[in-house]
């Protein structure tokens, strides 16, 4: 007869989540020291899709680097390319025609809605609800079709150029975008009825995974993560760029600090993006989409340049150190999810593993953007 | 408002010394606080400090309510120096971007860690260690973050050959 199995009460075990795991939405690995179902300590392991985009930034000219930016965050790529062109335009002193900036804002916001839609579907799937993903992808498909028609790509856009755009939008795009807005508003109501009121969904998120405003500050969290912790911070409002000051829109902020607050922020943001698109289409001025005079090879004056933009995931920053040459001496990409993910290790201590996975979903991770 | 108070507080680290001149092309600038044109450069204050002033400078920003944006390095191989740049910004509408930079000789690249003040500096410093081999003294876990765990190379050094 063998002795009965006995566990010591202080015994913990190591659980390896990832790098290939559906809940991590990409190749992310988390080493978790577990006490039963509770996490004692977690350590995130990064680098599985690291491609050294920053070195490429030093080896390529500014224009050659354009396509790289959309390989960071494949769900909301236009925001990142926008940051890059704005940084160069700021440093080189290029004035962009108004029409081009309006189209940039419209397409970026469409992309933001697409990104949030995919997040919404994937997040609810993390919690066990499969069908919202199908609805969300259907709506997102309309956006991708529109963007494909103007940019020529579905995900890895290279649409903005220094001083303007690669291609003007046509009437079909404007019509499609106008049709899309009321349809999307109807869908948002449907999502709300389908998901937000669901008692299981609420119980899984309400009061779970609190992230304090102070923790956000210490880790540099931005975007919906910070706004779900009561921080009224949106680069579009705090450091206005492009034509965003022309638009009337609100920044949704929730003070509960929990996973549900982060969910609500993103759901509200989609409506705000629709408002921006609506106003953008209404105000869209005629005119050129490309600046008339611009040097063939862009060289930036010696110095440091920083440009921040609000992407779907938070504040994306690009820092360029120029030595006056046609490529950057040093190019640093400050990615929002990198900082947002960083607080996971500390915040999930003492949490149930199922809550931690829901928490991870609420951070809206895109791994290639963390690893760069 | 916060711009002036932060500038004064940082300035006080250099007790009475004149602010550094604008960097001439090719020559390293001296330590001190400079204001930059936000419109062209995208940030307001640019403070270069010695490695032993770093913690004091970062503490000023921490107490001023700044959040950490990023940490990165630059290899100034012609000056035989490495530089670490710390980016800070604010959540409120009193927009003020501050960068703290410190230079060190390439042979002995070492600065104190600021992860004791900003927990979020942890990954940024590990990443900078990956790419430049800069040692952050006192860092709790200075192992490769983005590079493979056995990486013994630093790809963003200018003399790095793949």
């Amino acid at each position: 007869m063998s002795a009965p199995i006995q566990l010591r009460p202080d015994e913990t075990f190591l659980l390896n989540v990832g790098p290939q795991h559906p809940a991590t939405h990409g190749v992310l690995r988390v080493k978790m020291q577990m006490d039963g179902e509770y996490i004692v300590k977690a350590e995130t392991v990064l680098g599985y899709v690291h491609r050294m985009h920053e070195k490429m930034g030093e080896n390529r000219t500014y224009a050659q680097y354009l396509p790289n930016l959309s390989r960071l965050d494949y769900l909301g790529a236009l925001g990142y390319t926008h940051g890059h062109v704005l940084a160069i335009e700021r440093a080189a002193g290029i004035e962009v025609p108004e029409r081009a900036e309006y189209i940039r804002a419209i397409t970026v916001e469409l992309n933001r809605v697409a990104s949030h839609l995919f997040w919404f579907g994937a997040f609810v799937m993390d919690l066990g609800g499969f069908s919202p993903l199908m609805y969300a992808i259907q709506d997102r498909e309309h956006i991708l079709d529109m963007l494909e028609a103007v940019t020529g790509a579905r995900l890895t856009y290279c649409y903005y150029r220094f001083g303007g755009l690669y291609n003007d939008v046509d009437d079909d795009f404007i019509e499609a975008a106008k049709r899309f807005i009321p349809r999307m508003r109807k869908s948002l109501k449907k999502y709300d009825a389908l998901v937000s009121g669901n008692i299981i969904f609420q119980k899984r998120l309400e009061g779970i995974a609190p992230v304090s405003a102070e923790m956000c500050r210490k880790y540099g969290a931005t975007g919906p993560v910070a706004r779900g912790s009561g921080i009224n911070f949106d680069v579009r409002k705090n450091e206005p760029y492009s034509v965003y000051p022309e638009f009337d829109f609100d920044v949704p902020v929730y003070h509960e600090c929990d996973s549900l607050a982060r969910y609500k922020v993103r759901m509200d943001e989609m409506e705000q993006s629709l408002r921006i698109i609506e106003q953008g289409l209404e105000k869209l001025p005629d005119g050129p989409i490309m600046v008339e005079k611009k040097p063939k090879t862009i060289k930036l004056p010696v110095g440091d340049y920083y440009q921040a933009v609000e992407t779907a995931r938070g504040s994306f920053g690009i820092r360029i150190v120029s030595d006056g040459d046609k490529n950057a001496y040093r190019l640093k990409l400050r990615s929002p999810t990198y900082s947002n993910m960083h607080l996971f290790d500390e915040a999930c201590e003492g949490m149930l593993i199922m809550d931690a996975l829901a928490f991870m979903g609420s951070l809206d991770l895109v791994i290639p953007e963390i690893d760069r | 408002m916060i711009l002036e108070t932060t500038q004064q507080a940082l300035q006080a680290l250099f007790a009475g010394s004149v602010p550094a001149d604008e960097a001439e092309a090719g020559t390293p600038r001296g330590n001190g606080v400079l204001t930059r044109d936000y419109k062209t450069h995208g940030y307001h204050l640019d403070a270069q400090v010695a490695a032993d002033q770093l913690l004091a400078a970062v503490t000023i920003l921490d107490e001023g309510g700044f959040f950490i944006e990023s940490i990165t390095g630059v290899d100034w191989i012609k000056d035989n120096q490495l530089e670490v740049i710390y980016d800070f910004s604010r959540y409120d509408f009193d927009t003020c971007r501050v960068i703290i930079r410190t230079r060190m000789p390439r042979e002995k690249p070492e600065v104190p860690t600021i992860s004791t003040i900003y927990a979020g500096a942890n990954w940024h410093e590990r990443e900078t260690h990956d790419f430049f081999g800069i040692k952050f003294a006192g860092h709790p876990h200075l192992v490769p973050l983005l590079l493979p765990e056995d990486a013994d190379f630093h790809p963003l050094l200018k003399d790095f050959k793949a």
Side-chain angles (χ1 to χ4, degrees):
Chain A
M1 272 210 15
S2 59
I5 299 166
Q6 277 189 328
L7 282 177
R8 276 181 290 127
D10 60 336
E11 196 165 27
T12 60
F13 63 94
L14 195 77
L15 180 71
N16 185 52
V17 182
Q20 310 288 349
H21 189 280
T24 60
H25 301 287
V27 268
L28 173 75
R29 180 178 168 216
V30 185
K31 285 194 279 188
M32 290 177 179
Q33 192 193 345
M34 303 292 296
D35 177 9
E37 293 255 294
Y38 290 89
I39 298 168
V40 180
K41 219 173 154 35
E43 187 196 340
T44 307
V45 183
L46 299 178
Y48 290 94
V49 277
H50 174 56
R51 292 144 293 166
M52 203 76 229
H53 274 294
E54 295 178 9
K55 185 80 177 176
M56 289 186 240
E58 292 178 12
N59 294 338
R60 299 176 176 195
T61 66
Y62 295 115
Q64 283 170 337
Y65 195 60
L66 279 170
N68 281 64
L69 270 297
S70 55
R71 267 89 183 156
L72 300 174
D73 174 358
Y74 51 83
L75 292 179
L78 279 172
Y80 294 75
T81 51
H82 197 193
H84 180 225
V85 293
L86 284 172
I88 305 292
E89 284 156 3
R90 156 176 256 162
I94 300 170
E95 289 282 336
V96 185
E98 217 187 0
R99 183 177 171 85
E101 275 298 2
Y102 269 91
I103 296 172
R104 283 179 183 181
I106 293 167
T107 45
V108 163
E109 294 308 319
L110 278 172
N111 206 199
R112 188 187 313 273
V113 176
S115 171
H116 280 3
L117 275 173
F118 199 86
W119 161 81
F120 163 75
F123 180 51
V124 180
M125 200 168 71
D126 281 350
L127 301 170
F130 188 73
S131 37
L133 178 72
M134 292 295 130
Y135 289 114
I137 284 188
Q138 192 183 22
D139 280 329
R140 176 172 170 264
E141 203 60 22
H142 293 300
I143 302 179
L144 295 190
D145 285 345
M146 276 188 269
L147 291 178
E148 186 184 13
V150 284
T151 67
R154 289 176 73 79
L155 290 176
T156 51
Y157 313 105
C158 181
Y159 178 46
Y160 308 145
R161 297 287 190 270
F162 308 133
L165 305 168
Y166 145 74
N167 185 14
D168 201 354
V169 297
D170 53 10
D171 292 344
D172 288 350
F173 172 83
I174 292 172
E175 284 309 309
K178 278 183 180 160
R179 274 201 309 275
F180 173 76
I181 294 166
R183 195 169 51 208
M184 187 64 218
R185 286 206 166 115
K186 230 170 110 189
S187 290
L188 284 174
K189 280 207 192 89
K190 183 170 66 188
Y191 297 154
D192 210 41
L194 190 65
V195 174
S196 305
N198 184 311
I199 189 73
I200 300 171
F201 179 79
Q202 286 184 350
K203 291 278 178 205
R204 289 286 309 275
L205 303 176
E206 213 171 352
I208 302 293
V211 176
S212 69
E214 180 64 7
M215 191 189 243
C216 287
R217 187 176 75 82
K218 292 284 186 185
Y219 282 92
T222 51
V225 177
R227 289 195 283 277
S229 298
I231 299 170
N232 182 12
F233 176 75
D234 185 316
V235 187
R236 291 174 293 176
K237 289 275 192 195
N238 290 57
E239 274 184 81
Y241 56 93
S242 187
V243 285
Y244 282 108
E246 309 290 318
F247 299 124
D248 177 28
F249 67 102
D250 301 321
V251 177
V253 178
Y254 284 87
H255 296 267
E256 290 82 10
C257 306
D258 55 4
S259 294
L260 191 62
R262 293 183 279 274
Y263 165 83
K264 284 178 180 166
V265 167
R266 292 198 187 86
M267 297 310 277
D268 289 2
E269 266 181 22
M270 284 196 255
E271 167 57 27
Q272 298 306 321
S273 290
L274 292 178
R275 282 178 67 190
I276 297 175
I277 298 163
E278 201 170 32
Q279 293 168 44
L281 291 169
E282 209 171 281
K283 289 182 181 174
L284 185 64
D286 290 327
I289 52 147
M290 193 66 181
V291 71
E292 269 180 31
K293 272 191 187 156
K294 157 183 98 155
K296 207 166 183 189
T297 316
I298 300 236
K299 289 184 181 176
L300 302 187
V302 181
D304 284 36
Y305 304 95
Y306 194 90
Q307 175 70 47
V309 288
E310 184 75 21
T311 68
R313 262 145 271 279
S315 162
F316 167 70
I318 180 162
R319 152 177 289 292
I320 296 170
V321 180
S322 170
D323 62 348
D325 208 352
K326 62 185 187 308
N327 39 10
Y329 188 76
R330 172 83 179 95
L331 192 145
K332 161 81 183 166
L333 306 166
R334 187 262 184 211
S335 67
T337 0
Y338 186 89
S339 301
N340 293 354
M341 180 62 203
H342 194 177
L343 56 77
F344 178 82
D345 287 1
E346 190 184 324
C348 76
E349 277 176 22
M351 211 183 271
L352 274 168
I353 181 152
M354 287 317 290
D355 289 344
L357 294 182
F359 174 35
M360 203 188 268
S362 79
L363 292 175
D364 192 8
L365 304 175
V366 168
I367 313 303
E369 195 246 4
I370 300 181
D371 283 354
R372 286 162 288 138
Chain B
M1 186 49 209
I2 195 79
L3 182 75
E4 286 81 36
T5 49
T6 312
Q7 187 178 3
Q8 280 162 13
L10 287 171
Q11 203 81 263
L13 292 175
F14 304 94
S17 80
V18 251
D21 289 316
E22 280 283 41
E24 303 290 334
T27 57
R29 57 173 273 203
N31 290 353
V33 188
L34 295 174
T35 48
R36 300 280 189 198
D37 178 20
Y38 174 75
K39 204 171 171 295
T40 46
H41 289 276
Y43 57 94
H44 300 86
L45 289 177
D46 181 343
Q48 182 168 309
V49 301
D52 56 358
Q53 292 171 312
L54 181 68
L55 291 177
V58 174
T59 307
I60 291 171
L61 298 179
D62 183 32
E63 282 164 1
F66 285 76
F67 75 87
I68 183 166
E69 282 266 13
S70 69
I71 300 175
T72 189
V74 184
D75 180 11
W76 297 104
I77 194 164
K78 278 188 200 140
D79 307 326
N80 199 28
Q81 282 181 327
L82 284 169
E83 184 176 38
V84 184
I85 304 176
Y86 303 78
D87 274 280
F88 295 91
S89 183
R90 301 183 65 78
Y91 285 134
D92 55 21
F93 286 83
D94 215 349
T95 309
C96 178
R97 284 192 178 272
V98 181
I99 68 174
I100 306 281
R101 50 174 97 225
T102 180
R103 288 196 174 212
M104 67 212 84
R106 268 177 126 251
E107 302 80 50
K108 196 177 172 293
E110 192 177 312
V111 280
T113 178
I114 66 159
S115 60
T116 44
I117 304 171
Y118 281 96
N122 189 312
W123 281 9
H124 292 293
E125 289 182 347
R126 277 172 71 185
E127 182 192 313
T128 311
H129 177 258
D130 278 9
F131 293 169
F132 294 92
I134 294 166
K135 195 164 173 275
F136 291 89
H139 191 287
H141 192 52
L142 202 60
V143 296
L145 179 72
L146 296 177
L147 295 184
E149 54 196 13
D150 56 350
D152 56 354
F153 49 87
H154 305 295
L156 283 184
L157 291 176
K158 291 284 175 187
D159 53 3
F160 170 75
K161 295 277 180 292

